[in-house]
Amino acid sequence: TDYQYFHAGGRGHHMAWDSRCFDYHKPEVLHFLLSNCRFWLDEYRVDGFRFDGITSMLYHHHGLGEAFTRYDQYFDDSVDEDAVVYLALANKVIHTLRPDAITVAEDVSGMPGLAAPLQEGGLGFDYRLAMGVADCWFKLVKEVSDENWHMGHLWHELTNRRADEQTISYVECHDQAIVGGKTMIFELADAAMYTAMRVSDTDLAIERGITLHNMLRLITAATAGNGYLNFMGNEFGHPEWVDFPREGNNWSYHYARRLWHLRDDQTLKYRYMADFDQAMIGLLADSGALGSSHPYLHYLHEDDKIIVFDRGPFSFLLNFHPTKSVSDYHVAMPPGGYQLLLNTDERRFGGQDRVAAGQRYFTRPCSEHGEMRNCLQVYLPCRTGLVLKRLPEAP
């Protein structure tokens, strides 16, 4: 019957998704779903799960039309307590079978306790996804001209999270490019992707796209709470969307694949983004900065579109302005010397090499708002992100 595993009547139908809704109160449903968790651990040796769209599970209204602006919305009569129990049981099963496995909750509502331990009354997820970050990036790129990006709003979205929950940030995943949507690089460069991605090509849309692609990833990864997410292929700027065989596309496999050869083709520019991603991830992974420290904002300037912050052993200086490069820019920093480790504008990353690689900077006394501070003087070209590391003090 329609309601053997699902709810009977209207509650069993998700009208927005044209799908069925499990009745999590039934033991048979719990057995089926929990054994499925175990199957993937035992048979495929997966090391974790991303629970997709659980807002739809947590509430009878599926989160549709809800803004979640008050905490009492998280615990009112709209909560599906059976679904909450199932998610807690799933985390218990997964972590009992594989203590090293991780679970990640994709929830747009922000329900407190999702990523809190079971013994503390939480649902037991290890991480929650910072979904607002990707939403913020795509809104900026699609709706706001580059010169009008609001740096304060951007910083708030990148760092807005509860301190007692582990979070994972991302620029894009499969959600932003599914069924005809656009990947971030396609959103940035659009049709030029099909005609100007050869290394020999000169195209301003592609140049802007690659530059911002690298900068978006740098600041997102560097401000992430406890982890950074990438969907396969996005690291090298995959040009096409994801669409799996279904009735709507006549069961086609045409977009159900990743074009891996693009990354390795030395005549194309995709490798610039892949090489930057590899350098960025390597730098952050080796430092252990994510999760062990918090981003500390040193400086933010709306008109210049500049953000400067520390994370772990690194200082990040980013100029998002589309045209305004600044020379001898004064930035108040802790006293000492700094060395340039990574630059989004390097030629090997598709940039213009406007900043000499490996150079060192030293603070000097300066006056800021009538107060004497220690400042770096830095050449910071437009659409460029620099990563500096504090030099050890002389003995």
Side-chain angles (χ1 to χ4, degrees), residues 140-291:
L140 280 177
V141 170
K142 293 169 69 172
E143 302 178 12
V144 184
S145 59
D146 296 6
E147 61 270 19
N148 291 326
W149 285 14
H150 193 283
M151 297 293 101
H153 172 70
L154 176 59
W155 180 258
H156 171 76
E157 290 294 337
L158 289 169
T159 58
N160 179 28
R161 51 182 173 263
R162 297 189 185 95
D164 59 346
E165 290 186 320
Q166 297 193 110
T167 58
I168 294 176
S169 295
Y170 59 107
V171 175
E172 58 182 326
C173 68
H174 71 284
D175 288 341
Q176 284 73 34
I178 201 164
V179 192
K182 292 183 178 181
T183 60
M184 177 54 76
I185 188 63
F186 204 9
E187 197 69 65
L188 288 165
D190 205 51
M193 294 285 293
Y194 295 124
T195 59
M197 284 299 285
R198 292 182 298 272
V199 171
S200 58
D201 293 330
T202 300
D203 186 276
L204 292 178
I206 295 298
E207 180 180 308
R208 168 184 177 267
I210 292 176
T211 298
L212 287 178
H213 194 272
N214 292 343
M215 290 187 70
L216 268 55
R217 276 157 171 72
L218 177 62
I219 193 171
T220 302
T223 57
N226 302 82
Y228 173 73
L229 171 72
N230 177 73
F231 181 64
M232 56 182 183
N234 288 347
E235 74 278 8
F236 62 83
H238 201 280
E240 295 183 343
W241 54 86
V242 180
D243 196 3
F244 299 102
R246 56 189 175 85
E247 186 177 6
N249 62 19
N250 198 26
W251 305 107
S252 170
Y253 284 87
H254 182 70
Y255 290 107
R257 81 276 193 257
R258 301 277 84 180
L259 304 175
W260 300 111
H261 66 280
L262 296 176
R263 187 262 180 268
D264 298 323
D265 192 330
Q266 296 300 297
T267 68
L268 299 177
K269 297 180 179 180
Y270 295 96
R271 62 184 172 91
Y272 294 152
M273 292 173 281
D275 290 345
F276 176 77
D277 181 85
Q278 186 175 18
M280 176 189 76
I281 295 297
L283 193 68
L284 292 174
D286 291 343
S287 72
L290 300 190

Side-chain angles (χ1 to χ4, degrees), residues 75 84 88 112-124:
F75 306 108
V84 170
L114 278 181
L118 292 169
Q119 60 269 26
E120 295 180 11
L123 269 67

